[in-house]
Amino acid sequence: MAKVYRIHPGMGFARVGPSRQGYFLAGEAPGAAPIDIDATGNEAPFAGYKDASKIMRRQGARFRVYEYDKDAATGRLTLLREITAAEADIEWSVSLTSSKAAGKEMVSAAGPDGKRTIVPGTQDRNQPPQGFTRADLIASVDLKVKGKNAGPAPGAEPMGKFLNKDLFLGEARTDAAGRLVVLAGRGDAASWTTPPTVIPQYLNNPTWHDDIADGSVDATITFAGQTPVNAEGAWVFMAPPDFAPDVQPVTTLLDIAEQASSVPLPAPLTYPQDIEPILQRAAALYYVSIQSVWATMNKHMANLPNLGDNSAAAAANRKKVRTALLLAETQMSDFSLTDRQKKILDAWVAGTFQSQADGGRPVPTAAEALDRASLGHCVGGGFFPGIEAGTVLRQPTIYSELGRLKRGSFTDHDGSVHALVPGLISSRMACPWQADFVECERNWWPAQRPDITGRTAAGAPIEKWHRGIVVNDDTQDPRSHKNMVEHFAQLGVIVKSGAGFAEVGRDPALPTTP
């Protein structure tokens, strides 16, 4: 059998933050807690989402190389081991591009589920200022790193160029085992005019740009005395912070990838493995949202008996919960569960599921667990335009397999064919991202952008999460957009607290009202 090497996770997500006080990683297995990487490159106890000054820290995306045996006849891969700096020299290469300002104006269109979504239009978002070309509205940087605990010295990070000025897009480091950690930028956004142009809307704002980027992750592995080999590459996305990290979206990017990749339903479906996780994610949104559908889901999950019973006697309760959950498609603008999720819920209501876990179900490998955990943290619709990524991730042809993007070309929503190049995916997001983040209240995904600062165990809401940012409670006020650009990193993080959720880390210098 031939040996092949692959980078995992296939899709990694780093999150911006202005703090200079270290960084952390999201949990690398479903349900795992976040961890810090200390100055020696080793894992350390999680020090928090905020630094001592109550400013948001960056979340890194860590990548690993795994070795597989490939069967020549079937192409089947068998995972053998992780390759670290103890076994080989690993040189990592990361190419990042930020190209929102040079991209197409994003517009509303019908999505594949009949809901509106955001896609590229025909007009350019911007015309470059006098003396510059459209290429000057694109910032790119190529990062290389190898060895253990390596990376740029503070202040020496490679920079991209936007209108001939430095723009920090992120950095590449290694941990004590030689694994790659990609860190995002600081969450900077700016207008090139003086004074800055106002930010009139959530999506397209002329003269504005930000440091959100995406791009390729590659590795060359050299074993002593052997010819270097290349690993199958991954992709990294720079994204806004997750301000409710203990709450998952009811539809995640993993759900979107499973739908696009036509992953078959497990046989048998089981309540604890396939159904209950969807219901529990929906119920938990109650703690960070003001939408009534999540309150109903929370109440049902707490009070309705026998939801894991597949008998006809329990069918009425199962149907009541599914009906409540489907209300999300009317209360959350332009959102739809995936067809795959709906099939799971339909089978549950019909009683064609197993009440107990399937002990014979294959356990994901360590590499597969990384892929699933990475996507499971991220919001999968409604893509209007999205948070970490948009509707392009619905396209089946953009994937080479579940959780890995295909290098080369893919077919877009309108039948056009595009090369997947660094910056393409992030170019389709809101510019600057902070304006969309303001307007995400209520209608969008509170698992990343909460409406409120949690609820007590008794269910009492506390305060608006965005207080001190939104002017006169008007999320469409350009002053609210500007405030989010300038102060997002001071906002609180909503975390599990006893039987409820509570806000931590809000900067006391951020006023209660603008």
Side-chain angles (χ1 to χ4, degrees):
M1 289 191 179
K3 299 286 191 300
V4 297
Y5 300 87
R6 314 180 90 196
I7 299 171
H8 291 271
M11 298 165 67
F13 298 84
R15 299 184 186 275
V16 299
S19 173
R20 266 65 172 176
Q21 296 181 22
Y23 62 91
F24 65 93
L25 306 177
E28 294 181 316
I35 55 175
D36 265 46
I37 301 294
D38 65 19
T40 65
N42 290 296
E43 293 185 7
F46 180 48
Y49 300 101
K50 295 296 195 82
D51 65 18
S53 299
K54 309 298 184 186
I55 301 302
M56 202 73 180
R57 302 169 74 213
R58 289 184 291 172
Q59 175 186 307
R62 182 160 64 174
F63 296 88
R64 308 173 189 232
V65 172
Y66 285 89
E67 182 181 73
Y68 293 80
D69 263 338
K70 183 176 183 179
D71 187 289
T74 65
R76 184 184 177 202
L77 297 177
T78 301
L79 178 64
L80 299 177
R81 58 175 177 163
E82 182 187 356
I83 302 298
T84 68
E87 291 82 34
D89 291 332
I90 305 173
E91 182 173 11
W92 296 94
S93 301
V94 182
S95 294
L96 298 175
T97 295
S98 176
S99 56
K100 286 183 185 179
K104 293 298 183 181
E105 187 176 69
M106 303 304 291
V107 300
S108 173
D113 53 9
K115 303 287 186 177
R116 293 184 309 162
T117 190
I118 295 296
V119 300
T122 59
Q123 302 299 312
D124 294 328
R125 252 181 174 154
N126 287 286
Q127 294 301 317
Q130 187 173 3
F132 292 94
T133 67
R134 184 158 303 281
D136 296 315
L137 302 179
I138 299 172
S140 297
V141 66
D142 292 321
L143 309 173
K144 291 187 179 296
V145 66
K146 63 181 177 178
K148 301 177 182 179
N149 199 27
E157 300 90 349
M159 295 283 177
K161 290 287 186 182
F162 182 86
L163 294 180
N164 208 31
K165 294 181 179 179
D166 284 345
L167 180 63
F168 177 55
L169 300 181
E171 59 188 285
R173 314 194 68 84
T174 57
D175 67 9
R179 304 178 183 110
L180 173 69
V181 177
V182 180
L183 297 174
R186 306 291 181 185
D188 294 332
S191 166
W192 65 70
T193 64
T194 304
T197 306
V198 298
I199 308 175
Q201 60 143 301
Y202 74 99
L203 184 58
N204 302 297
N205 292 289
T207 80
W208 279 83
H209 70 282
D210 61 28
D211 58 0
I212 297 295
D214 69 275
S216 55
V217 176
D218 295 290
T220 300
I221 304 102
T222 305
F223 294 94
Q226 297 186 26
T227 302
V229 293
N230 295 323
E232 185 174 353
W235 209 260
V236 67
F237 302 74
M238 307 307 180
D242 181 351
F243 286 98
D246 292 344
V247 181
Q248 280 187 290
V250 66
T251 297
T252 68
L253 281 185
L254 177 59
D255 293 308
I256 296 297
E258 287 181 325
Q259 177 71 38
S261 301
S262 299
V263 174
L265 297 183
L269 284 172
T270 79
Y271 182 74
Q273 293 165 299
D274 307 306
I275 300 156
E276 188 178 27
I278 299 174
L279 307 182
Q280 292 290 8
R281 294 201 304 263
L285 290 173
Y286 164 67
Y287 292 100
V288 288
S289 174
I290 55 180
Q291 288 284 16
S292 62
V293 62
W294 311 127
T296 301
M297 284 297 301
N298 191 274
K299 181 179 178 180
H300 285 343
M301 292 302 291
N303 298 319
L304 289 180
N306 303 320
L307 295 179
D309 182 350
N310 61 11
S311 71
N317 282 348
R318 298 197 304 267
K319 185 174 182 180
K320 183 181 291 187
V321 175
R322 182 190 61 175
T323 298
L325 180 50
L326 291 179
L327 282 176
E329 297 191 330
T330 60
Q331 290 193 13
M332 303 294 284
S333 295
D334 307 304
F335 164 71
S336 176
L337 296 165
T338 67
D339 287 345
R340 190 175 187 275
Q341 286 181 303
K342 290 179 180 179
K343 288 178 182 177
I344 291 172
L345 295 174
D346 289 346
W348 174 54
V349 169
T352 54
F353 69 96
Q354 184 171 294
S355 296
Q356 303 301 318
D358 177 9
R361 185 176 296 186
V363 176
T365 66
E368 291 167 342
L370 286 176
D371 294 339
R372 298 181 72 84
S374 180
L375 290 165
H377 288 296
C378 301
V379 173
F383 290 131
F384 210 79
I387 294 181
E388 295 90 357
T391 194
V392 68
L393 291 191
R394 286 171 161 159
Q395 305 307 315
T397 59
I398 205 169
Y399 296 94
S400 61
E401 63 180 0
L402 178 66
R404 191 177 301 275
L405 302 185
K406 181 172 62 178
R407 299 292 178 89
S409 299
F410 70 96
T411 302
D412 212 342
H413 66 283
D414 58 359
S416 59
V417 177
H418 300 272
L420 178 62
V421 295
L424 180 143
I425 294 173
S426 56
S427 73
R428 301 183 176 197
M429 308 305 289
C431 186
W433 67 264
Q434 292 94 334
D436 184 44
F437 225 62
V438 169
E439 295 198 31
C440 275
E441 187 194 23
R442 189 180 186 92
N443 286 330
W444 298 106
W445 283 112
Q448 247 76 336
R449 190 275 190 219
D451 297 339
I452 54 176
T453 58
R455 295 181 191 266
T456 64
I462 306 179
E463 299 178 273
K464 284 286 188 80
W465 172 75
H466 66 213
R467 65 199 186 283
I469 297 291
V470 174
V471 176
N472 298 326
D473 209 29
D474 183 358
T475 59
Q476 297 184 42
D477 190 316
R479 294 172 296 174
S480 300
H481 299 163
K482 180 175 180 290
N483 285 341
M484 187 65 83
V485 168
E486 296 175 348
H487 300 293
F488 76 90
Q490 297 169 263
L491 285 160
V493 181
I494 315 306
V495 299
K496 192 82 172 69
S497 177
F501 285 76
E503 182 181 61
V504 298
R506 181 183 165 93
D507 185 357
L510 188 63
T512 301
T513 57

